[in-house]
Amino acid sequence: MGHTDRRRQRGLLVTLCAVVCAFVMLAPSTAWGLTTSKATARPNEEGGSSVIGGLPTRLTWEGTVDDGEEVTAVTLRLPEGGSFDGASTKVTVLQGLTRSELATEVAPEGPQLKVTFVDPATQGLLLRLEVEGMKFPAKGGDVVVEGTYVNQDGEKPLAASKPIATIANTPLQSLLASLDANPVVKAWNSSQFLGMFFKPQLLVTAFATLVPGWFLCLVIVLVAYPIAILLGLVFALMKISRHRVLRAIAIVYINILRGTPLFLQIYIMFFGLPMMNINIDNNVLGVIVIAINASAYLAEIFRAGIESIPPGQYEAAASLGMGHMMTMLNIILPQTVRRVMPTVTSDFITSYKDTSLLSSVGVMELMMFAKNLTSVSGNMTPYVAAAIFYLIVTLPLIKVVTTVEKRMAKSERGGGARPKVKAKDVAAAEAEQDDIALGGVVDAQ
Amino acid sequence: MPSKNNLREAIRLRRMADAVPPAMDAREAALAAHERDKTLTKHHFEPSEHPCVRIEHLMKTFDGETQVLTDVNLTVWPGEVVCVLGPSGSGKSTMLRCINLLETPTAGHILIEDNEITGHLLAADVNKLRQNLGMVFQSFNLFPHLTAKGNVMIGQTKVLKKSKEEAEREALKQLDAVGLLDRADFKPAQLSGGQQQRVAIARAVAMHPDILLFDEPTSALDPELVRGVLDVMRDLAENGGMTMIVVTHEMGFAREVADRVVFMEGGVVVEQGKPEDVFDHPQNERTAQFLGSIN
């Protein structure tokens, strides 16, 4: 190794240092050669507006070529888990409003997508990459598209895009994706009827999205009903009261509420109260309307139940020295409750279904969710899903009503299980029976 | 159940029926009744005793037209068993129901232990009165939602305000007395008619009333179940010393157990007397005809 070698080495080092220094000093002063102006993704949620990771969607990326730049390649990079594999990319180049063609080579490879321009893209051009079939990371979250570009000076980093909000790929989303891909489902949906009313994908989506509405329905009716029972009982007792005024009030209340549609009552309450500057939360008002409406029907059910108790029960209670209130509380009402149980359950079913009418005034209950989903998807399936949600509650209750009615009929005939009688007592009872049988009739004239 | 309005209506009607003389002085009345009744009943009573129930000129009209009771006069002494006989529609049950005000008398007087119960009574007083008058109905009227034991307990706990334990002890005792201890936890629907009626008797007796009223207690029963109920009633009369007014068609029971038999017809007491007198030598033609028709 001689002097010349060492000198050359030193010269190279100096040159290198100078270049690096120049680069480092110059770089901040120059604008980005290629400015990222847009990065968006198309929603891929069935009947929704979210971007789901892990499922194919379309990424639209736009960048503007700055002054004096000649961009020969752009590479987009997704965070870990994202993929461009199998994606098809459409490259559009716009200058002002004119669309120009540029020959490009697109190479998707894992989380990277490299687009090479045969002729460099020059200043003022808008590059638009539409990548169909790419996937964001399955874990969801805000995704930033990064990358590099190559200009006449070499490869440079791209400014990070604005974050794209994505949601995690849930089992539901995977299920939807697999349904989408399933040939049987495709065949099923090709039938106009099945596809319109029983589209599996929408059924699955609806089940997931209707749940809050279903809960609201249940909450409304479960809060309203106990209130309705109390109100109904009060009006039932008023209607059978001895006092003419109380009776009149009860009759007017019951007849008006039973004689007008619930729909009308909802409109009057929801639109009338705000006009009187009484503003009540929609859900609370929904509870109130349902409770008042149901109370009128329950009042009639309770009244009929109370009046069906034979007069002998009042007389027996009176003979024990019971007053009116005591008789009502201890003798009449407990029996009434048993008798009206099936009818009250039927009425509960009606009230539960009637909550659907609240969708007309913007209460976010089951029907409202179904309506929204249908208007987004243009498909009837969400209504079918809503029907299933109603049936989940009503069918078991209908079954309960039938069973209770049967059991009551049986027990009124004296059927049903008896309490256990101790063996000793049975012997005593049989002996007593024999005694009676052998005793004959007293009347021995 | 008579309401306050019904009672007011009754008072109005009574004032209209001015012809009815007012009740006599209690002591005077007792002596008069004593004099009248001593040949009519097997029951032995002292001259110092006052009647349990005194019915004078009792009249009852339904809806202002159907006159069921025209003029009923009857005196019942403590410990006496009175059987009321008569054809249907003769007013037996109505008279019995007037005694504990299940029907409001239209006119006349009823005195329970020298206290007038006809006229203006507060609801509370009516309830108080009824505690002393046990009633057993033709159709049992057990409370179907309660067990046999519950039926016997409820009056004690709610009206007499007894503790649950005390009421239960009493209930079991009374159920034992009517031979139904083993059925204490049965619901009425699970009991035979005879058993139900015996529970009803236990329910009435558990209130320890002064008088027991029986309104055709065996009429709704199958013949083979009648005996058990009558045995219980006989036991109450003979061993319990209970004052009983029994409206019945059981001639055998009336003959054997009653101290006095009262025959009613057309809303009046037609004939009364010791059972053997009435049954064997009826004085009234209608009584003879009635007894003849059922024998």
Side-chain angles (χ1 to χ4, degrees):
Chain A
M1 217 181 270
H3 274 286
T4 42
D5 282 356
R6 200 166 283 169
R7 191 174 296 155
R8 196 180 293 164
Q9 265 183 347
R10 193 174 295 152
L12 203 69
L13 204 70
V14 168
T15 319
L16 206 70
C17 280
V19 168
V20 168
C21 282
F23 186 78
V24 168
M25 286 167 72
L26 281 174
S29 65
T30 54
W32 293 101
L34 181 60
T35 309
T36 307
S37 54
K38 180 183 172 188
T40 57
R42 190 184 56 187
N44 57 351
E45 186 189 26
E46 187 83 46
S49 57
S50 303
V51 179
I52 303 159
L55 294 177
T57 184
R58 186 181 66 195
L59 171 70
T60 305
W61 180 93
E62 287 175 3
T64 315
V65 181
D66 294 328
D67 289 355
E69 298 285 340
E70 288 191 348
V71 176
T72 51
V74 175
T75 305
L76 298 181
R77 196 163 52 242
L78 291 170
E80 201 185 325
S83 166
F84 286 111
D85 285 337
S88 65
T89 308
K90 186 178 157 203
V91 181
T92 316
V93 178
L94 294 162
Q95 182 152 39
L97 289 173
T98 54
R99 193 181 285 256
S100 53
E101 293 293 326
L102 275 180
T104 51
E105 282 170 19
V106 182
E109 191 190 335
Q112 288 208 86
L113 177 82
K114 186 169 187 187
V115 179
T116 316
F117 301 94
V118 177
D119 300 319
T122 52
Q123 72 174 73
L125 278 183
L126 179 73
L127 301 177
R128 177 188 291 161
L129 308 183
E130 287 169 296
V131 194
E132 184 75 51
M134 56 73 66
K135 293 169 183 166
F136 286 103
K139 67 176 190 288
D142 286 347
V143 174
V144 173
V145 179
E146 292 175 315
T148 55
Y149 71 96
V150 177
N151 68 358
Q152 64 272 34
D153 299 327
E155 191 165 7
K156 294 182 177 173
L158 269 175
S161 71
K162 281 186 184 152
I164 301 169
T166 67
I167 60 172
N169 183 11
T170 57
L172 171 72
Q173 307 301 348
S174 326
L175 176 62
L176 285 176
S178 72
L179 283 175
D180 277 335
N182 192 318
V184 178
V185 172
K186 272 180 191 150
W188 173 283
N189 287 341
S190 66
S191 147
Q192 198 189 2
F193 172 71
L194 294 177
M196 182 50 78
F197 290 95
F198 299 97
K199 190 178 177 187
Q201 293 95 317
L202 263 176
L203 218 47
V204 169
T205 312
F207 275 135
T209 42
L210 296 189
V211 167
W214 184 48
F215 278 162
L216 186 61
C217 276
L218 285 173
V219 167
I220 286 177
V221 77
L222 287 178
V223 175
Y225 219 71
I227 301 172
I229 286 175
L230 280 180
L231 269 179
L233 196 57
V234 167
F235 281 101
L237 291 174
M238 278 169 73
K239 197 171 176 185
I240 56 173
S241 155
R242 289 194 282 270
H243 302 281
R244 208 170 303 161
V245 179
L246 291 184
R247 267 205 316 269
I249 293 171
I251 288 170
V252 168
Y253 177 88
I254 293 168
N255 286 357
I256 286 182
L257 285 169
R258 291 198 341 148
T260 55
L262 173 59
F263 198 57
L264 178 85
Q265 293 161 19
I266 289 172
Y267 266 47
I268 287 179
M269 291 286 271
F270 274 78
F271 300 128
L273 290 184
M275 284 186 182
M276 292 169 63
N277 283 325
I278 302 169
N279 292 301
I280 303 173
D281 175 77
N282 263 5
N283 296 347
V284 177
L285 198 51
V287 167
I288 293 172
V289 177
I290 296 285
I292 289 177
N293 180 266
S295 75
Y297 289 88
L298 286 172
E300 278 298 278
I301 294 171
F302 290 148
R303 181 199 54 76
I306 290 170
E307 287 182 348
S308 77
I309 306 292
Q313 292 292 310
Y314 291 91
E315 292 179 354
S319 299
L320 291 174
M322 289 193 181
H324 184 70
M325 274 300 278
M326 202 186 272
T327 305
M328 273 294 169
L329 286 177
N330 295 295
I331 308 298
I332 306 303
L333 289 182
Q335 292 184 53
T336 307
V337 167
R338 277 148 217 252
R339 286 187 183 214
V340 301
M341 216 45 192
T343 329
V344 169
T345 313
S346 297
D347 187 71
F348 177 85
I349 292 171
T350 307
S351 282
Y352 170 61
K353 290 184 297 180
D354 279 349
T355 56
S356 62
L357 290 172
L358 293 171
S359 68
S360 63
V361 287
V363 174
M364 288 303 292
E365 47 67 74
L366 185 50
M367 197 54 201
M368 190 73 164
F369 275 90
K371 206 153 64 171
N372 287 349
L373 198 50
T374 291
S375 56
V376 170
S377 63
N379 192 293
M380 288 290 125
T381 311
Y383 287 141
V384 174
I388 292 169
F389 270 114
Y390 283 113
L391 289 171
I392 287 173
V393 175
T394 54
L395 285 184
L397 284 178
I398 289 168
K399 173 80 182 148
V400 165
V401 172
T402 325
T403 315
V404 169
E405 273 174 348
K406 268 188 197 153
R407 195 184 301 160
M408 278 171 67
K410 196 174 168 189
S411 85
E412 263 172 32
R413 291 194 307 267
R418 271 130 171 90
K420 267 190 188 155
V421 176
K422 286 174 207 142
K424 198 180 73 183
D425 294 337
V426 171
E430 277 168 2
E432 183 202 15
Q433 286 293 327
D434 291 345
D435 193 37
I436 289 168
L438 292 171
V441 222
V442 189
D443 195 344
Q445 281 196 27
Chain B
M1 193 176 153
S3 66
K4 227 183 261 173
N5 288 344
N6 288 347
L7 281 170
R8 285 203 197 103
E9 177 68 7
I11 295 159
R12 196 177 63 79
L13 286 168
R14 267 189 63 220
R15 288 197 182 124
M16 282 165 62
D18 246 351
V20 178
M24 285 181 279
D25 167 68
R27 185 161 168 71
E28 199 184 320
L31 286 173
H34 184 273
E35 205 54 40
R36 189 184 64 223
D37 285 352
K38 63 183 176 188
T39 56
L40 297 176
T41 176
K42 293 197 289 187
H43 185 68
H44 298 287
F45 46 85
E46 301 300 319
S48 61
E49 278 183 291
H50 282 207
C52 247
V53 181
R54 191 144 66 85
I55 302 172
E56 287 179 3
H57 306 297
L58 179 64
M59 183 178 110
K60 174 68 187 175
T61 313
F62 283 109
D63 306 326
E65 15 185 290
T66 323
Q67 188 157 30
V68 180
L69 298 179
T70 319
D71 185 6
V72 175
N73 293 281
L74 185 68
T75 314
V76 180
W77 298 87
E80 192 180 11
V81 178
V82 175
C83 281
V84 183
L85 310 177
S88 51
S90 60
K92 313 181 293 284
S93 288
T94 307
M95 181 205 66
L96 199 71
R97 290 163 62 83
C98 280
I99 295 175
N100 71 350
L101 295 182
L102 286 180
E103 303 293 351
T104 310
T106 310
H109 308 273
I110 298 174
L111 291 91
I112 307 289
E113 277 140 15
D114 291 334
N115 298 309
E116 169 125 36
I117 62 161
T118 36
H120 197 134
L121 271 192
L122 294 172
D125 295 332
V126 174
N127 295 338
K128 201 89 190 153
L129 161 80
R130 285 175 177 153
Q131 289 175 36
N132 287 325
L133 297 168
M135 179 98 173
V136 176
F137 299 87
Q138 180 178 355
S139 50
F140 329 135
N141 293 351
L142 288 182
F143 305 129
H145 62 298
L146 300 174
T147 59
K149 190 172 73 184
N151 267 279
V152 185
M153 281 172 68
I154 193 156
Q156 303 180 62
T157 51
K158 299 295 173 187
V159 179
L160 303 179
K161 310 286 179 204
K162 280 194 198 173
S163 73
K164 235 182 169 146
E165 295 72 30
E166 208 182 335
E168 186 170 4
R169 216 177 307 128
E170 177 69 26
L172 293 175
K173 188 182 132 196
Q174 295 303 341
L175 285 174
D176 195 23
V178 299
L180 288 174
L181 191 55
D182 58 324
R183 296 290 189 271
D185 293 325
F186 280 47
K187 290 281 180 69
Q190 299 167 332
L191 298 170
S192 74
Q195 290 171 333
Q196 287 191 52
Q197 193 60 297
R198 284 188 275 159
V199 173
I201 294 172
R203 176 175 69 178
V205 173
M207 300 294 286
H208 294 291
D210 295 332
I211 307 159
L212 269 182
L213 309 173
F214 292 85
D215 187 5
E216 305 199 21
T218 55
S219 298
L221 295 178
D222 291 339
E224 74 271 22
L225 302 174
V226 170
R227 169 70 186 254
V229 173
L230 292 183
D231 280 349
V232 167
M233 289 166 63
R234 183 201 302 263
D235 183 58
L236 276 172
E238 288 170 358
N239 305 325
M242 181 69 76
T243 311
M244 290 162 56
I245 304 176
V246 186
V247 171
T248 186
H249 292 296
E250 293 294 331
M251 299 302 155
F253 177 82
R255 182 187 277 272
E256 285 181 27
V257 182
D259 292 316
R260 179 165 25 148
V261 170
V262 173
F263 182 78
M264 279 182 76
E265 159 86 81
V268 292
V269 173
V270 173
E271 183 169 356
Q272 55 174 315
K274 294 174 186 166
E276 55 270 27
D277 294 345
V278 174
F279 281 115
D280 299 335
H281 313 286
Q283 301 298 306
N284 186 285
E285 194 188 324
R286 274 298 291 133
T287 316
Q289 201 183 334
F290 177 73
L291 292 174
S293 72
I294 60 164
N295 280 333

